[in-house]
Amino acid sequence: MPAYQPEDLDPLERIVLGVLSVGLPPSRAAGSDTFRVDHVVAVVASLEATGERGAYLAGDGVRVVPEFRARIRAAVDSLTAKGLVMQQAAGMPAAAGGYEAGLQLDLVDPDVHPVVVDRYLSQVCMEYLFNIPAVYPYLMERYSSSGEVWRRLREGGYARD
């Protein structure tokens, strides 16, 4: 497998890989679709391109427009082909230790959460996103809020053996 650098990736692939490193909890556990990976990717891509949040969101400001969701699917497929992520089969339990116990996955609905294979590259892509001035405040808020959700889940007994 070749060693990839962020500049070897398509811009949307960089965003997807970077967002996967933020540590988002499953949207069901968070109680908000704004934690969906497809939602966060759409907002980050929009902020990077236009400085505004909603270019790829539907009128409700939460759902991702179908055309952009198809682009996210293509980016995940490309990252999978490159060996940088592994997609999980729909209807199978989420990866142990990474997600809410028993959460059933689908590629985008409710969460895009492929397993990151190249954690170093994913981390570098996340740092790339944090260095975009329009993206930083939004992504930092998602990161902080994710930590609060994970803390609440752990206090509720999540991941205790």
Side-chain angles (χ1 to χ4, degrees):
M1 178 173 92
Y4 290 98
Q5 298 299 317
E7 57 272 9
D8 298 329
L9 303 177
D10 171 90
L12 189 55
E13 291 174 335
R14 268 194 309 268
I15 292 171
V16 169
L17 205 53
V19 166
L20 288 171
S21 272
V22 171
L24 297 170
S27 62
R28 289 180 185 167
S32 172
D33 281 345
T34 62
F35 283 93
R36 287 170 50 128
V37 174
D38 62 338
H39 174 87
V40 176
V41 167
V43 172
V44 168
S46 181
L47 286 168
E48 180 183 39
T50 70
E52 302 292 326
R53 293 172 59 124
Y56 306 117
L57 299 177
D60 65 3
V62 175
R63 288 178 296 119
V64 177
V65 295
E67 298 81 16
F68 193 74
R69 216 173 23 200
R71 288 181 54 200
I72 295 171
R73 287 181 192 268
V76 170
D77 288 344
S78 178
L79 290 168
T80 301
K82 290 174 180 166
L84 301 174
V85 302
M86 289 186 328
Q87 296 182 52
Q88 299 183 73
M92 297 299 292
Y99 309 101
E100 179 181 9
L103 177 67
Q104 301 298 301
L105 293 184
D106 180 299
L107 180 60
V108 171
D109 188 15
D111 292 291
V112 178
H113 262 132
V115 175
V116 174
V117 175
D118 189 332
R119 293 190 186 278
Y120 173 77
L121 180 59
S122 182
Q123 186 74 27
V124 171
C125 289
M126 182 181 71
E127 290 172 14
Y128 165 82
L129 296 177
F130 275 123
N131 284 311
I132 301 169
V135 171
Y136 179 82
Y138 170 73
L139 205 54
M140 184 53 76
E141 185 280 325
R142 290 290 79 190
Y143 179 79
S144 175
S145 295
S146 293
E148 288 299 312
V149 171
W150 285 117
R151 182 187 55 74
R152 179 177 44 86
L153 289 172
R154 282 190 299 276
E155 285 175 355
Y158 173 78
R160 289 192 188 146
D161 290 324

